[in-house]
Amino acid sequence: MNPPPYDREHLAPLTSQAAIEERARLLIGRAARRQIWLFFLDDEDRQLPLLIPVQDPPPQPAEDDDLKFASLLAYVQEQTDARGFVAIIERFGGMALTPADSAWARMLTSAASLSPLSLHGILLSHARGVRWAAPDDYATARTRAADTA
């Protein structure tokens, strides 16, 4: 699948869950492999021309992965006009969040809280499509930010 062409002038701001989910469908679509995608938004919630894949992540995030991802997010913010980001967990399987998906979603939420970028959503790319992952779906464990508050 070829991603849609990037044309900032024609990209509508992603100001709703439905708009973000549709963009994730266009960019990633149904899962083809195991990876995590990050795409970035400017101060008007328009997508920037930067899409970062994290290929073949381990089944569970490591304890300090939130710090590593926060550092990556800070670097992106320093180098671009990014003010926010969206994360897509891609893995083949059903649409229900697995314990591993939830662990990655919690880690990404923690990383966002430690970074200068705001998290606009986490989605799951699965065998049949893309779905929104609501915080209630994965927020069963405390994040590092909650531990320090």
Side-chain angles (χ1 to χ4, degrees):
M1 180 175 109
N2 291 327
Y6 179 83
D7 183 354
R8 186 181 191 291
E9 299 306 315
H10 293 99
L11 288 178
L14 301 176
T15 56
S16 70
Q17 289 183 354
I20 291 170
E21 192 172 338
E22 180 59 24
R23 185 63 48 82
R25 259 190 211 94
L26 289 171
L27 291 172
I28 308 304
R30 295 186 322 190
R33 62 180 300 172
R34 183 168 168 66
Q35 54 193 351
I36 297 171
W37 294 91
L38 304 174
F39 74 85
F40 299 89
L41 306 174
D42 67 12
D43 60 351
E44 296 177 358
D45 294 332
R46 293 184 191 275
Q47 182 188 342
L48 295 171
L50 177 62
L51 183 64
I52 297 177
V54 178
Q55 297 180 346
D56 300 317
Q60 297 281 328
E63 187 173 320
D64 64 344
D65 277 350
D66 58 348
L67 297 173
K68 292 175 184 175
F69 271 77
S71 178
L72 169 67
L73 296 171
Y75 179 77
V76 168
Q77 189 271 330
E78 290 170 5
Q79 301 299 315
T80 69
D81 293 330
R83 296 295 175 263
F85 75 102
V86 173
I88 304 164
I89 300 168
E90 178 187 5
R91 55 100 180 118
F92 199 75
M95 67 183 292
L97 288 179
T98 66
D101 299 333
S102 295
W104 279 105
R106 287 191 301 273
M107 184 283 297
L108 290 162
T109 300
S110 180
S113 72
L114 298 168
S115 83
L117 298 182
S118 60
L119 177 60
H120 288 247
I122 298 175
L123 296 99
L124 175 67
S125 167
H126 53 86
R128 296 179 61 195
V130 174
R131 72 169 282 244
W132 191 264
D136 288 348
D137 293 341
Y138 60 81
T140 57
R142 293 166 36 143
T143 63
R144 185 184 304 269
D147 290 339
T148 60

